[in-house]
Amino acid sequence: MELNNEHAPVLSVKNLSVKFKMYTTGAKQRDLEVISNLSVDIRAGEVLAVVGSSGSGKSLLAHSVLGILPRNASISGDLQYNGEPLTPQLQAKLRGHEIALVPQSVSFLDPLMRIDSQVIGTTATREKQRKIFERYQLSKAVERMYPHQLSGGMARRVLVATAVIGEAKLIIADEPTPGLSPDLARETLQNFRELADQGAAVMLITHDIDLAFQIADRIAVFYAGTTVEVANVADFQGDGSQLRHPYSRAFLAALPQNEFRAISGFQPYAGALPEGCLFHPRCKYCTQECKERTPPMRELRGGEVRCIHAT
C-alpha cells in the first residue's frame, strides 16, 4: 500500500534511552542501560514490523510507549503522539483507548472474569462487542466463557478484539503469533493489516519474519537495544542487496529459506556493550572510527540506517 508520508507520524520516538536501577554486591546501585539512542516512527495506515534478536529491546520499546515500565526504570529521549509530548499523564489517558496493546501472553486476560466483561470494559456496548466478535469469528457462546476455556487461537482473537473495540489509533502487537498454527498466525496478522488499511497505525513486534514480510509496509531492525535500520519491506526481498546495514543483511541471510547462513559472534549484553558502533565486533567492514564513534541514524535511499559505511 502507498502511504502518505507528508503527514506527521502518529508515534515518533527519538533517541530513546531506558535504564534500570540495579543492585550489585554490597547493596550498591548501578544504572543498567538496556536501550540507547533508539529512534523510530509510525504513521496512520501503516504496519511497521519491529524485528531483531531476543533482548534487542523490542518489547521494552512497547512498554516505554505505553508507560508500563517497572518502577526501577527511567527513560529519556523524545516520545510524541500526534505531535504532542507523550507524558506519563497522556499515556495514562490514552492507554487502552487510543493506544492499545495486544500482548504476547494470553495471561494478560483475567482468569476470574468472563470474556465479554473483559472485552466490553467500561466504555463499549454489548452491541459493539458482538459486532467485533462476529468480525473475528468468535461465537456468542464465547461471551460467557472464562480464559481457560478458550483455545489458543480464540484467546488471541479475544486479545485483538479487546484492543480494537475502543477504536485505537495506535495498536502495538507484541509477539501476537507464538504457539499458533501457520493458518491462525496468518489470520491474526491479516487482522492487523486490515486495521491499518482502516487508518490505524500498527506496530508489530514479531519473530515471524516471513509473515511480517507479507503484511508490513516497513521493517525496523533492532540490535542490542537500538535501531540499526528502518527500510521498506521491498528492500528485504531477494538477496538483501538493497538493505543498508550489515546486520540487516546478516539477519536476512540467517532465515531458514536462506540456509541459516550465520555470522560469528553474538549480540552483546546490556552492561557489557562495546564503545562506538554496537555491531562493530561482528562487522567485516569495521574501521577504527567504528570502534570510537556511535553512528547516528541517517536517511539513505528511502530508508534510515545507523552505519557510517552504508551507501
mmCIF file of all heavy atoms in Angstrom, residues 44-68:
data_model
loop_
_atom_site.group_PDB
_atom_site.id
_atom_site.type_symbol
_atom_site.label_atom_id
_atom_site.label_comp_id
_atom_site.label_asym_id
_atom_site.label_seq_id
_atom_site.Cartn_x
_atom_site.Cartn_y
_atom_site.Cartn_z
ATOM 1 N N ALA A 44 -0.212 6.772 10.377
ATOM 2 C CA ALA A 44 -1.545 6.206 10.194
ATOM 3 C C ALA A 44 -1.588 5.403 8.898
ATOM 4 O O ALA A 44 -1.019 5.806 7.886
ATOM 5 C CB ALA A 44 -2.597 7.312 10.176
ATOM 6 N N GLY A 45 -2.267 4.262 8.934
ATOM 7 C CA GLY A 45 -2.404 3.426 7.755
ATOM 8 C C GLY A 45 -1.230 2.511 7.490
ATOM 9 O O GLY A 45 -1.170 1.856 6.449
ATOM 10 N N GLU A 46 -0.293 2.436 8.436
ATOM 11 C CA GLU A 46 0.951 1.706 8.223
ATOM 12 C C GLU A 46 1.094 0.559 9.211
ATOM 13 O O GLU A 46 0.723 0.672 10.381
ATOM 14 C CB GLU A 46 2.130 2.664 8.391
ATOM 15 C CG GLU A 46 3.498 1.994 8.324
ATOM 16 C CD GLU A 46 4.635 2.968 8.537
ATOM 17 O OE1 GLU A 46 4.480 3.911 9.340
ATOM 18 O OE2 GLU A 46 5.689 2.786 7.908
ATOM 19 N N VAL A 47 1.659 -0.560 8.738
ATOM 20 C CA VAL A 47 2.138 -1.617 9.616
ATOM 21 C C VAL A 47 3.660 -1.541 9.630
ATOM 22 O O VAL A 47 4.311 -1.718 8.594
ATOM 23 C CB VAL A 47 1.698 -3.017 9.150
ATOM 24 C CG1 VAL A 47 2.312 -4.087 10.050
ATOM 25 C CG2 VAL A 47 0.185 -3.145 9.166
ATOM 26 N N LEU A 48 4.213 -1.228 10.790
ATOM 27 C CA LEU A 48 5.658 -1.218 10.975
ATOM 28 C C LEU A 48 6.024 -2.472 11.750
ATOM 29 O O LEU A 48 5.615 -2.641 12.902
ATOM 30 C CB LEU A 48 6.105 0.020 11.747
ATOM 31 C CG LEU A 48 7.590 0.048 12.117
ATOM 32 C CD1 LEU A 48 8.443 0.387 10.895
ATOM 33 C CD2 LEU A 48 7.865 1.052 13.238
ATOM 34 N N ALA A 49 6.771 -3.374 11.138
ATOM 35 C CA ALA A 49 7.233 -4.578 11.825
ATOM 36 C C ALA A 49 8.557 -4.275 12.508
ATOM 37 O O ALA A 49 9.460 -3.698 11.903
ATOM 38 C CB ALA A 49 7.387 -5.728 10.843
ATOM 39 N N VAL A 50 8.667 -4.659 13.769
ATOM 40 C CA VAL A 50 9.885 -4.474 14.556
ATOM 41 C C VAL A 50 10.508 -5.847 14.767
ATOM 42 O O VAL A 50 9.896 -6.731 15.354
ATOM 43 C CB VAL A 50 9.582 -3.793 15.897
ATOM 44 C CG1 VAL A 50 10.846 -3.685 16.744
ATOM 45 C CG2 VAL A 50 8.974 -2.412 15.674
ATOM 46 N N VAL A 51 11.738 -6.030 14.256
ATOM 47 C CA VAL A 51 12.386 -7.333 14.304
ATOM 48 C C VAL A 51 13.774 -7.197 14.914
ATOM 49 O O VAL A 51 14.340 -6.112 14.995
ATOM 50 C CB VAL A 51 12.483 -7.965 12.903
ATOM 51 C CG1 VAL A 51 11.110 -8.069 12.256
ATOM 52 C CG2 VAL A 51 13.426 -7.180 11.990
ATOM 53 N N GLY A 52 14.307 -8.328 15.338
ATOM 54 C CA GLY A 52 15.634 -8.366 15.935
ATOM 55 C C GLY A 52 15.738 -9.544 16.875
ATOM 56 O O GLY A 52 14.738 -10.186 17.218
ATOM 57 N N SER A 53 16.949 -9.837 17.313
ATOM 58 C CA SER A 53 17.162 -10.957 18.218
ATOM 59 C C SER A 53 16.478 -10.709 19.559
ATOM 60 O O SER A 53 16.168 -9.568 19.921
ATOM 61 C CB SER A 53 18.665 -11.166 18.449
ATOM 62 O OG SER A 53 19.342 -11.398 17.241
ATOM 63 N N SER A 54 16.254 -11.781 20.315
ATOM 64 C CA SER A 54 15.744 -11.643 21.676
ATOM 65 C C SER A 54 16.706 -10.775 22.475
ATOM 66 O O SER A 54 17.929 -10.908 22.364
ATOM 67 C CB SER A 54 15.622 -13.019 22.338
ATOM 68 O OG SER A 54 14.678 -13.810 21.661
ATOM 69 N N GLY A 55 16.146 -9.871 23.278
ATOM 70 C CA GLY A 55 16.979 -8.982 24.067
ATOM 71 C C GLY A 55 17.416 -7.728 23.352
ATOM 72 O O GLY A 55 18.226 -6.953 23.883
ATOM 73 N N SER A 56 16.870 -7.477 22.163
ATOM 74 C CA SER A 56 17.288 -6.287 21.403
ATOM 75 C C SER A 56 16.490 -5.048 21.756
ATOM 76 O O SER A 56 16.778 -3.968 21.239
ATOM 77 C CB SER A 56 17.192 -6.561 19.898
ATOM 78 O OG SER A 56 15.867 -6.905 19.525
ATOM 79 N N GLY A 57 15.475 -5.196 22.615
ATOM 80 C CA GLY A 57 14.740 -4.016 23.090
ATOM 81 C C GLY A 57 13.361 -3.833 22.506
ATOM 82 O O GLY A 57 12.719 -2.797 22.734
ATOM 83 N N LYS A 58 12.856 -4.828 21.781
ATOM 84 C CA LYS A 58 11.576 -4.662 21.081
ATOM 85 C C LYS A 58 10.412 -4.469 22.072
ATOM 86 O O LYS A 58 9.633 -3.513 21.948
ATOM 87 C CB LYS A 58 11.310 -5.885 20.192
ATOM 88 C CG LYS A 58 12.401 -6.150 19.158
ATOM 89 C CD LYS A 58 12.070 -7.284 18.230
ATOM 90 C CE LYS A 58 11.877 -8.626 18.909
ATOM 91 N NZ LYS A 58 13.133 -9.107 19.561
ATOM 92 N N SER A 59 10.278 -5.364 23.040
ATOM 93 C CA SER A 59 9.173 -5.250 23.993
ATOM 94 C C SER A 59 9.347 -4.052 24.920
ATOM 95 O O SER A 59 8.360 -3.425 25.333
ATOM 96 C CB SER A 59 9.040 -6.536 24.818
ATOM 97 O OG SER A 59 8.642 -7.619 23.995
ATOM 98 N N LEU A 60 10.590 -3.718 25.239
ATOM 99 C CA LEU A 60 10.830 -2.551 26.090
ATOM 100 C C LEU A 60 10.384 -1.266 25.406
ATOM 101 O O LEU A 60 9.919 -0.329 26.064
ATOM 102 C CB LEU A 60 12.305 -2.464 26.475
ATOM 103 C CG LEU A 60 12.757 -3.408 27.592
ATOM 104 C CD1 LEU A 60 14.254 -3.301 27.794
ATOM 105 C CD2 LEU A 60 12.018 -3.102 28.897
ATOM 106 N N LEU A 61 10.533 -1.205 24.086
ATOM 107 C CA LEU A 61 10.009 -0.048 23.355
ATOM 108 C C LEU A 61 8.500 0.039 23.549
ATOM 109 O O LEU A 61 7.968 1.123 23.842
ATOM 110 C CB LEU A 61 10.345 -0.164 21.874
ATOM 111 C CG LEU A 61 9.619 0.824 20.952
ATOM 112 C CD1 LEU A 61 9.982 2.267 21.290
ATOM 113 C CD2 LEU A 61 9.903 0.522 19.485
ATOM 114 N N ALA A 62 7.803 -1.084 23.389
ATOM 115 C CA ALA A 62 6.351 -1.087 23.553
ATOM 116 C C ALA A 62 5.964 -0.619 24.954
ATOM 117 O O ALA A 62 5.068 0.220 25.119
ATOM 118 C CB ALA A 62 5.802 -2.488 23.297
ATOM 119 N N HIS A 63 6.629 -1.130 25.969
ATOM 120 C CA HIS A 63 6.291 -0.765 27.343
ATOM 121 C C HIS A 63 6.633 0.692 27.645
ATOM 122 O O HIS A 63 5.959 1.340 28.448
ATOM 123 C CB HIS A 63 7.014 -1.705 28.311
ATOM 124 C CG HIS A 63 6.542 -3.124 28.205
ATOM 125 N ND1 HIS A 63 7.123 -4.168 28.894
ATOM 126 C CD2 HIS A 63 5.530 -3.680 27.494
ATOM 127 C CE1 HIS A 63 6.506 -5.290 28.606
ATOM 128 N NE2 HIS A 63 5.531 -5.010 27.753
ATOM 129 N N SER A 64 7.673 1.206 26.988
ATOM 130 C CA SER A 64 8.019 2.623 27.159
ATOM 131 C C SER A 64 6.936 3.523 26.587
ATOM 132 O O SER A 64 6.554 4.531 27.199
ATOM 133 C CB SER A 64 9.358 2.926 26.470
ATOM 134 O OG SER A 64 10.399 2.165 27.012
ATOM 135 N N VAL A 65 6.435 3.167 25.412
ATOM 136 C CA VAL A 65 5.381 3.963 24.765
ATOM 137 C C VAL A 65 4.113 3.935 25.606
ATOM 138 O O VAL A 65 3.431 4.959 25.770
ATOM 139 C CB VAL A 65 5.110 3.437 23.346
ATOM 140 C CG1 VAL A 65 3.879 4.123 22.741
ATOM 141 C CG2 VAL A 65 6.322 3.659 22.458
ATOM 142 N N LEU A 66 3.793 2.778 26.161
ATOM 143 C CA LEU A 66 2.568 2.624 26.944
ATOM 144 C C LEU A 66 2.704 3.174 28.361
ATOM 145 O O LEU A 66 1.701 3.377 29.041
ATOM 146 C CB LEU A 66 2.176 1.153 27.003
ATOM 147 C CG LEU A 66 1.635 0.577 25.692
ATOM 148 C CD1 LEU A 66 1.833 -0.927 25.653
ATOM 149 C CD2 LEU A 66 0.163 0.921 25.528
ATOM 150 N N GLY A 67 3.934 3.377 28.816
ATOM 151 C CA GLY A 67 4.138 3.863 30.176
ATOM 152 C C GLY A 67 3.924 2.787 31.218
ATOM 153 O O GLY A 67 3.407 3.068 32.315
ATOM 154 N N ILE A 68 4.332 1.546 30.910
ATOM 155 C CA ILE A 68 4.119 0.432 31.843
ATOM 156 C C ILE A 68 5.434 -0.230 32.221
ATOM 157 O O ILE A 68 5.479 -1.417 32.536
ATOM 158 C CB ILE A 68 3.133 -0.605 31.276
ATOM 159 C CG1 ILE A 68 3.602 -1.134 29.911
ATOM 160 C CG2 ILE A 68 1.738 -0.012 31.165
ATOM 161 C CD1 ILE A 68 2.727 -2.273 29.385
#
